[in-house]
Amino acid sequence: MFDTLIRKAQVIDGSGAPAFSADVALQDGKVAAIADTLGDCAQTVIDAHGQCLAPGFIDVHTHDDLNVIHNPPMLEKISQGVTTVIVGNCGISASPVVLTGEPPDPLNLLGGQSAFTYPSFSSYTDAVVAARPAVNVGALIGHTALRNNHMNDLQRCANADEIAAMQQDLRSALAEGALGMSSGLAYASAKQSDTEEVIALVQELGAAGGVYTTHLRTEFDGVIQAMDEAFHTARRGKVPLIISHLKCAGKGNWGRSNELLTHLHNAARQQSVACDCYPYAASSSTLDLAQVTEDTDIFITWSTPHSEQAGRYLGDIARDWNLSLMEAAQRLMPAGAVYYCMSEDDVENIVRHPKSMIGSDGLPNDPHPHPRLWGAFPRVLGHYSRDKNALSLPQAVHKMTGLSATEFRLHNRGFIRPGYCADVVLFNPDTVLDTASFSHPKQRAQGIEKVWVNGVLSYQYGAAPTGRAGQFLYRQSQ
């Protein structure tokens, strides 16, 4: 007898192939059988007529490092159909980190000094396992986190001794199961690192079979040159490369997405290259003075010295204070912001490209988060696939599942196949929709009906979360 039988679903298996009608049985945390009919031999039988069954969505770009420990129900992700999160992106990771004061920007996106209690990767994985989050967790090691551990000044390049110490930290974390390393070369805490410093670390990934993801040195005018640096770094390290949240940022860059995607495609002929993206034309991070401009609106999400200004536009704050935009931004620092810096046409172009995966890049600690934290995956299914017909439903699901599992080397996940882990989501293709908005961002999606994680029913629309069966996903030898 099966644990669960999902009958007559339209199965979208994660490969990009067309949907097909089938019964799918789950047993002992695995997909046990897929057939035209499997009878009624199960403890729980679910009629899925008119609904789609897909692999659980893999959020490849998150900053949920501490959220999976402190907020293990993970409602903002499980309610989207997300069953796996990749943490440690943009050079920012919760481990291995040792702080002597407040965390530098952008490590502060994860929390204050008291939140960083994981000096080794194994201490972090132990904490995740003990928390029993509702979703699976795979982790990258942040380049900025490594720099923080061994450098007394992050506004310069590391010296040979510091690089050797960072290599040892990374080597240990990889031995303990980290998936790879991320960098955030656009941030001040990593901007002064030269390419050779990054290559020295990326070569550790090549030896261990890890992946390298990077928030490019710039996503503005010099983005092609920044992509070239990333391609070069990955080739030297002999590692797969994933460019984080590929975008054409800044009005002067709008309309360049075809150029960027052609550059990505040409590089992929010579090496393993992919990217992730989020399906919105606004970004979100800490307030960066380099991005303060009259060209696009900037929405302040938090401010340490002026918390009362959170939830307002920088332009309105500047007018109230009778200051320039730059002066107002300086007074608000440190702070968080949403930047309306992209063209919708460029976003759509990148979303539908065969090499792009979907990642939310949500910031769970933000008091007024970008709506991508709660809505990224249903937005692709509803807005981009169904309503705009920018890509087929099987293509959309592939970008969230099979492609992601393949690029991040997650074994036995990302596809609905016998013997694979039973991370599956049942959704209504006619009603699936993101409801989170910029004004009201903390809203669960519509149309995500049921979600199983490792065979355990963990979410039902309209009901309280029902299970927490997430596992830590350690890197496995290839």
Side-chain angles (χ1 to χ4, degrees):
M1 178 175 286
F2 300 121
D3 295 333
T4 304
L5 179 63
I6 304 165
R7 298 187 61 193
K8 301 307 175 205
Q10 285 297 305
V11 178
I12 305 175
D13 68 5
S15 68
F20 59 93
S21 178
D23 290 359
V24 177
L26 313 181
Q27 178 71 30
D28 296 330
K30 306 287 186 183
V31 176
I34 305 169
D36 289 342
T37 181
L38 290 170
D40 293 313
C41 192
Q43 294 180 21
T44 302
V45 178
I46 293 166
D47 181 5
H49 183 77
Q51 297 181 322
C52 292
L53 187 71
F57 305 142
I58 300 170
D59 190 343
V60 298
H61 193 111
T62 84
H63 297 286
D64 291 324
D65 305 52
L66 297 173
N67 209 37
V68 294
I69 297 171
H70 301 150
N71 177 34
M74 293 295 290
L75 182 60
E76 60 268 45
K77 294 301 170 68
I78 197 81
S79 66
Q80 295 185 61
V82 170
T83 59
T84 297
V85 297
I86 306 297
V87 304
N89 284 281
C90 296
I92 308 162
S93 62
S95 75
V97 173
V98 177
L99 291 171
T100 56
E102 285 301 310
D105 184 359
L107 288 187
N108 57 2
L109 286 173
L110 299 184
Q113 182 179 5
S114 62
F116 288 84
T117 58
Y118 310 106
S120 67
F121 187 71
S122 60
S123 64
Y124 173 72
T125 63
D126 288 347
V128 174
V129 171
R132 297 186 304 108
V135 296
N136 304 306
V137 181
L140 302 164
I141 301 302
H143 171 226
T144 300
L146 297 175
R147 300 186 100 231
N148 164 84
N149 291 350
H150 300 289
M151 298 179 65
N152 57 14
D153 178 8
L154 299 181
Q155 308 306 310
R156 60 173 174 80
C157 188
N159 62 38
D161 289 343
E162 292 162 342
I163 290 173
M166 288 191 280
Q167 287 174 316
Q168 182 55 54
D169 276 2
L170 181 56
R171 204 175 297 132
S172 296
L174 291 167
E176 293 165 353
L179 297 178
M181 188 187 82
S182 72
S183 65
L185 302 180
Y187 289 105
S189 296
K191 188 175 292 185
Q192 299 307 317
S193 60
D194 64 16
T195 305
E196 291 303 315
E197 175 187 321
V198 183
I199 288 171
L201 294 166
V202 169
Q203 286 173 335
E204 296 291 333
L205 305 178
V211 300
Y212 174 51
T213 76
T214 182
H215 178 150
L216 296 171
R217 203 171 286 273
T218 182
E219 297 168 327
F220 291 80
D221 292 348
V223 62
I224 291 292
Q225 292 76 18
M227 290 173 72
D228 285 337
E229 178 189 20
F231 299 150
H232 172 70
T233 299
R235 284 196 305 270
R236 287 277 301 276
K238 299 179 181 178
V239 295
L241 171 68
I242 297 163
I243 296 177
S244 298
H245 40 60
L246 185 66
K247 63 172 72 76
C248 302
K251 275 195 172 179
N253 247 4
W254 289 7
R256 294 185 66 192
S257 55
N258 282 331
E259 179 187 357
L260 269 62
L261 293 169
T262 297
H263 207 56
L264 185 83
H265 174 77
N266 290 338
R269 293 174 174 174
Q270 310 296 327
Q271 62 190 109
S272 176
V273 176
C275 68
D276 69 60
C277 62
Y278 47 81
Y280 298 86
S283 65
S284 180
S285 187
T286 52
L287 180 58
D288 177 10
L289 298 181
Q291 294 189 55
V292 173
T293 171
E294 300 277 359
D295 288 347
T296 53
D297 288 334
I298 300 172
F299 182 82
I300 301 301
T301 60
W302 60 270
S303 168
T304 297
H306 292 284
S307 58
E308 77 282 359
Q309 299 299 334
R312 302 189 66 206
Y313 285 95
L314 178 60
D316 294 337
I317 297 169
R319 279 189 288 275
D320 286 353
W321 287 351
N322 196 27
L323 297 175
S324 69
L325 283 180
M326 184 61 70
E327 289 168 335
Q330 289 170 333
R331 182 179 288 187
L332 290 165
M333 298 280 278
V338 168
Y339 305 89
Y340 293 85
C341 62
M342 289 173 273
S343 153
E344 289 282 0
D345 290 343
D346 285 327
V347 172
E348 180 177 327
N349 215 10
I350 293 169
V351 164
R352 67 173 180 241
H353 190 270
K355 284 288 183 179
S356 69
M357 299 170 282
I358 304 303
S360 69
D361 197 14
L363 302 176
N365 290 332
D366 203 314
H368 190 104
H370 190 300
R372 63 194 183 186
L373 180 66
W374 286 78
F377 291 81
R379 182 171 175 80
V380 173
L381 298 173
H383 177 67
Y384 282 101
S385 179
R386 182 190 61 230
D387 299 341
K388 297 200 73 175
N389 199 29
L391 67 171
S392 72
L393 201 52
Q395 288 171 329
V397 168
H398 176 60
K399 289 174 169 294
M400 305 174 177
T401 59
L403 179 61
S404 306
T406 300
E407 294 292 345
F408 279 87
R409 302 178 172 183
L410 305 179
H411 287 222
N412 296 321
R413 297 186 191 268
F415 299 90
I416 296 180
R417 293 173 179 168
Y420 272 57
C421 296
D423 298 340
V424 292
V425 53
L426 190 67
F427 67 91
N428 186 325
D430 297 324
T431 63
V432 65
L433 184 71
D434 60 308
T435 63
S437 65
F438 285 97
S439 57
H440 296 90
K442 298 180 181 181
Q443 311 254 20
R444 66 172 86 181
Q446 296 178 357
I448 303 295
E449 303 297 341
K450 290 181 171 61
V451 183
W452 290 262
V453 180
N454 296 305
V456 175
L457 181 60
S458 300
Y459 176 79
Q460 298 184 75
Y461 183 74
T466 55
R468 291 194 353 224
Q471 299 175 0
F472 200 92
L473 306 184
Y474 300 90
R475 195 189 76 264
Q476 299 182 36
S477 58
Q478 300 302 302

